[in-house]
Amino acid sequence: TLLHLHVFSFCLYFIFLNKSASFKQMECFNAEIPADGVVNSIETEEISENVVKADETTLANGEDEAGKAGEEYAYLERNEFTSEIFKVEVKNMGYFGIGEFKKLLRNTLKFDVTKIKAPTRKEFAFVCFRSQEDQQRALEILNGYKWKGKVLKAHVAKASADPLQKKRAAEEQESERKPKKQRTAVEATCPLSHIAYDQQIKQKSEEMSALLAKYTQELRKVNPRAKPHLDKFQFHEVLPSPTVNGYRNKNEFTVGKNSVGEVVVGFRLGCYSDGSVEVAEVADLPHLPEQAKWAARSFQDLVRKSKFLPFNPDGNIGHFRQLMVRCSSATGELMLVAGIYSSNLSEDEQVELKQELKSFYEDLANDAPYKCSSLYYQDVKHREAGQTINPVEHISGSTHITDTIQGLQFRISPLAFFQINTEGANVLYQKAIDLVAPTKDTTMLDICCGTGTITLAFAKHCKKVMGVEIVPDAIKDAEFNAEANGIKNAKFFTGNADDFIKSMVREALYDQEPGKPLDLIAVVDPPRAGLHHRSIAAIRSADAINRLVYVSCNPHSAKRNFIELARPESKQYKGEPFYPKSAVAVDMFPHTMHTELVILFEREPKTKADEKSSPAEGAAQSKSEATEEAVSEENTTSVT
């Protein structure tokens, strides 16, 4: 009986334990807590705290991302005009060319357009306007407008993000994974300076040969009739520069800060759109003359002492923005053009800053190794509608400097084009003269003549020379230079090249003796982007021009022009093609990747075989030109 009692008691205790455990498990289940006692409860509290912290971090990150996004669009809130505010996206366009779309907007619809962006030239484009009224008018007209068999759709578009802020945000994320090495000033501006100069020439010769081989190969496809001419085409060599170090007579320095936050006047190590605003000093750069280095250091001292601030593109704050330096190896003259961002300066403050510039360089003249002989103030801010250059104001000293090429003296104004390597220009111009071989019966047209350096260099070899240039001050310099050098057979025109080519040809024909054949040559030395296709068309249509010398400071960009000159005759390019005969390059830019190329083009009279070319060939050619017109328009808008 006693044994039965003990067994019964044990069973009751066991049942009680099981019920307690079950009840405890139920409580834990309802509370979503593991049934492992106090230890696990503590872990659960820690988990809960971590979840709260994670939520707070996510919220903070969200706010941070929003802040970064806000920084990318902060420029829209500045007290400055930006057409990104009045932006429209046009859709359902099909394939189109920038040129024809511009004509639709500006000529047909009479829109006041500030900017057109078409990343793919297919289906859509972005158009920016000057005001909300213009934007609204465009929306009403373009939405449902029929163009090229398509019904266009238009709606308000979001402004583009600031490329600097966008790049910085990306770099912050990237820097967490791997650090980025910044380039030095030498690496950014003189990438070949570590190579012996004879090796630089060899490398550039190989690159130029490869470029011309690619060009001639492409031309064989575009114009099969060019084959016999291309078989005879010769590239001679890259000629070295007489001056290898300190050859640049013009430099544009940026005012900014270096990697440790010091105010510096030097070269930017990258571009704004790539997210870089860091500026490095120029003391170690081999291609700058000592005059230019001194100019950068002296201006740097001025900026550091001044109450006015260095300009910062990140927010468009500050005042000192840039310094253009021009110096003459012939006379030792030094011209400084201080670029000032005046949008946040009152008129009185501008007067004060100009006086500060004048006094600083006047006081510096007695003790400095170099002297500022010409000082200008340039208002560098957002350009107004129709404004092509930032205006300059003479402050002190002479208004010009003088340099010498081919034994001729040239007066140079602040904004005029002049070859940056004076000694190299002597070689370059002589080679151009040798290639085309003018005579006393030759009339020469200089298209994009600048201050008339090439025009006047040819003058003593020709019967008459004529030049055209879009910058009025450059033409004034050219006319002065002709008179100062006693040259009587030169004439200059101000305006777009394509507007004056035909009139210059007519004048050459008018001056020609009756019954005597006209020997008319043209020389073009355009900006880096090359000639506008309208200028090429004007040259092609001028049948009297039988030889052409093309001087290119950027052969990679000019290759498009080379093809346009040698295409078969078509609706767009009337007149016989110009075929390349020979070429030579001059190393105008030692220590850099750039080379100046001179090509002689000639054309032959039309033959009976040419007149029998099939209409289908002409139609195919016109279609090919139409597809390339977009690139031509975009790359050369600024040239004319």
Side-chain angles (χ1 to χ4, degrees):
T1 302
L2 184 59
L3 178 60
H4 287 166
L5 183 59
H6 282 293
V7 171
F8 179 74
S9 299
F10 179 79
C11 289
L12 288 176
Y13 180 71
F14 182 78
I15 292 171
F16 173 77
L17 287 178
N18 283 341
K19 284 185 177 181
S20 296
S22 299
F23 180 74
K24 193 171 185 180
Q25 287 174 357
M26 188 174 294
E27 285 184 327
C28 293
F29 176 78
N30 289 337
E32 296 184 351
I33 299 175
D36 293 326
V38 180
V39 176
N40 283 341
S41 297
I42 294 172
E43 291 177 357
T44 304
E45 289 176 5
E46 292 176 350
I47 292 171
S48 300
E49 289 177 3
N50 288 337
V51 170
V52 172
K53 288 178 181 178
D55 290 340
E56 291 174 349
T57 303
T58 302
L59 180 61
N61 288 340
E63 292 173 350
D64 187 49
E65 291 297 326
K68 289 178 181 178
E71 290 176 2
E72 292 179 14
Y73 296 93
Y75 74 97
L76 299 174
E77 305 300 326
R78 296 173 193 155
N79 188 25
E80 296 171 347
F81 171 76
T82 171
S83 59
E84 286 290 328
I85 299 175
F86 312 115
K87 190 174 180 180
V88 169
E89 182 177 7
V90 185
K91 292 184 174 181
N92 197 38
M93 299 177 66
Y95 184 86
F96 64 95
I98 289 290
E100 59 182 346
F101 189 45
K102 281 182 180 177
K103 290 177 183 177
L104 169 69
L105 298 176
R106 291 175 174 162
N107 300 343
T108 306
L109 302 180
K110 307 298 182 184
F111 289 158
D112 186 9
V113 176
T114 62
K115 187 165 52 178
I116 300 172
K117 296 188 289 186
T120 62
R121 298 186 186 87
K122 185 178 180 182
E123 297 297 339
F124 72 96
F126 297 101
V127 185
C128 297
F129 299 90
R130 295 193 179 278
S131 66
Q132 188 175 6
E133 182 181 353
D134 291 342
Q135 181 192 40
Q136 188 60 37
R137 176 172 170 262
L139 287 169
E140 293 171 358
I141 294 176
L142 289 174
N143 200 24
Y145 188 88
K146 292 183 179 180
W147 184 57
K148 295 178 63 176
K150 299 281 187 177
V151 178
L152 304 183
K153 298 178 181 179
H155 62 86
V156 175
K158 183 181 177 182
S160 299
D162 185 326
L164 175 65
Q165 300 297 343
K166 190 175 181 180
K167 183 75 174 180
R168 281 183 175 174
E171 284 181 348
E172 285 180 10
Q173 296 179 0
E174 183 68 20
S175 63
E176 295 177 0
R177 293 190 289 269
K178 58 179 181 179
K180 183 178 178 182
K181 182 182 180 295
Q182 182 62 279
R183 295 188 301 174
T184 65
V186 174
E187 291 170 338
T189 61
C190 302
L192 300 183
S193 60
H194 65 287
I195 303 174
Y197 188 56
D198 59 341
Q199 290 300 311
Q200 292 184 35
I201 294 297
K202 181 181 178 182
Q203 178 176 323
K204 291 184 177 185
S205 294
E206 292 172 353
E207 291 173 354
M208 199 58 58
S209 296
L211 174 69
L212 290 172
K214 186 176 180 181
Y215 153 61
T216 53
Q217 183 180 5
E218 184 176 346
L219 182 55
R220 289 176 191 273
K221 298 177 182 177
V222 172
N223 188 354
R225 290 179 183 159
K227 185 179 183 302
H229 302 278
L230 297 177
D231 290 342
K232 300 176 184 177
F233 173 67
Q234 288 185 330
F235 170 59
H236 297 287
E237 57 184 333
V238 175
L239 298 173
S241 170
T243 305
V244 177
N245 294 322
Y247 59 85
R248 288 192 64 97
N249 57 40
K250 179 187 175 184
N251 296 280
E252 294 186 7
F253 300 120
T254 298
V255 181
K257 293 186 177 181
N258 60 17
S259 58
V260 295
E262 297 172 329
V263 174
V264 168
V265 176
F267 285 137
R268 179 93 60 86
L269 295 181
C271 61
Y272 185 89
S273 59
D274 288 336
S276 173
V277 293
E278 184 180 335
V279 177
E281 294 189 65
V282 297
D284 298 329
L285 301 184
H287 63 330
L288 302 189
E290 291 303 317
Q291 275 180 300
K293 294 178 181 179
W294 174 84
R297 287 195 305 271
S298 64
F299 196 69
Q300 179 176 287
D301 292 340
L302 167 63
V303 176
R304 288 180 175 181
K305 294 174 182 177
S306 176
K307 77 171 190 179
F308 297 102
L309 302 174
F311 178 75
N312 185 354
D314 185 4
N316 282 2
I317 56 175
H319 316 104
F320 291 104
R321 187 165 186 171
Q322 64 189 44
L323 176 71
M324 181 172 70
V325 179
R326 306 194 81 146
C327 44
S328 168
S329 57
T331 64
E333 293 170 300
L334 181 64
M335 176 187 288
L336 304 183
V337 183
I340 307 299
Y341 184 75
S342 65
S343 293
N344 46 22
L345 289 173
S346 67
E347 290 187 9
D348 289 342
E349 287 174 324
Q350 291 185 55
V351 171
E352 181 184 354
L353 199 155
K354 292 172 189 176
Q355 184 58 46
E356 181 179 2
L357 287 166
K358 184 174 183 290
S359 300
F360 179 83
Y361 281 103
E362 285 178 350
D363 295 342
L364 206 61
N366 296 328
D367 302 325
Y370 301 100
K371 179 182 178 181
C372 172
S373 54
S374 177
L375 181 62
Y376 278 85
Y377 172 98
Q378 185 174 28
D379 194 357
V380 184
K381 60 181 180 181
H382 295 290
R383 295 175 185 170
E384 305 295 334
Q387 185 180 1
T388 57
I389 58 174
N390 294 307
V392 296
E393 177 185 338
H394 181 246
I395 295 180
S396 66
S398 60
T399 55
H400 299 76
I401 62 173
T402 303
D403 214 334
T404 303
I405 296 179
Q406 288 279 310
L408 302 172
Q409 287 191 340
F410 293 95
R411 187 182 76 168
I412 307 166
S413 59
L415 303 181
F417 171 77
F418 192 81
Q419 289 286 352
I420 61 106
N421 184 342
T422 309
E423 293 300 322
N426 280 314
V427 178
L428 181 73
Y429 292 173
Q430 189 58 52
K431 281 300 171 183
I433 293 169
D434 294 343
L435 278 179
V436 74
T439 69
K440 291 299 181 180
D441 294 324
T442 301
T443 299
M444 178 266 210
L445 311 181
D446 187 0
I447 300 165
C448 306
C449 68
T451 57
T453 52
I454 294 181
T455 323
L456 301 181
F458 268 79
K460 63 183 177 182
H461 303 280
C462 301
K463 180 179 74 173
K464 184 176 182 177
V465 291
M466 290 181 278
V468 61
E469 170 63 47
I470 194 172
V471 180
D473 285 346
I475 289 297
K476 291 178 183 177
D477 287 343
E479 291 171 339
F480 177 89
N481 292 331
E483 185 176 351
N485 288 283
I487 295 174
K488 307 296 185 183
N489 62 336
K491 188 174 181 179
F492 297 96
F493 303 88
T494 304
N496 289 340
D498 41 299
D499 294 334
F500 280 88
I501 290 172
K502 289 184 179 179
S503 61
M504 289 193 296
V505 171
R506 281 196 297 268
E507 182 164 334
L509 289 168
Y510 180 81
D511 293 340
Q512 188 64 19
E513 297 178 20
K516 193 172 184 179
L518 176 65
D519 183 23
L520 184 62
I521 64 174
V523 177
V524 296
D525 185 8
R528 295 181 65 82
L531 282 176
H532 195 283
H533 68 84
R534 287 195 297 269
S535 297
I536 295 291
I539 293 171
R540 287 280 302 259
S541 64
D543 293 333
I545 302 176
N546 49 43
R547 285 175 293 164
L548 172 75
V549 175
Y550 196 116
V551 182
S552 173
C553 62
N554 187 356
H556 293 277
S557 295
K559 186 168 70 74
R560 172 183 51 80
N561 280 170
F562 301 161
I563 295 293
E564 292 168 340
L565 285 167
R567 283 185 179 282
E569 185 175 8
S570 64
K571 182 178 179 181
Q572 183 177 7
Y573 296 108
K574 297 178 181 178
E576 284 300 291
F578 285 89
Y579 296 116
K581 293 295 182 181
S582 59
V584 64
V586 179
D587 185 22
M588 297 286 287
F589 318 100
H591 306 308
T592 76
M593 303 295 293
H594 305 294
T595 309
E596 197 102 1
L597 178 66
V598 185
I599 299 183
L600 172 64
F601 291 88
E602 291 184 3
R603 59 178 168 186
E604 298 174 353
K606 184 180 290 188
T607 63
K608 291 183 179 180
D610 296 330
E611 294 173 353
K612 294 179 180 179
S613 60
S614 68
E617 181 180 347
Q621 180 64 25
S622 297
K623 183 176 180 181
S624 173
E625 290 163 359
T627 60
E628 294 180 2
E629 183 179 352
V631 178
S632 175
E633 285 280 355
E634 185 177 69
N635 288 345
T636 60
T637 299
S638 61
V639 174
T640 56

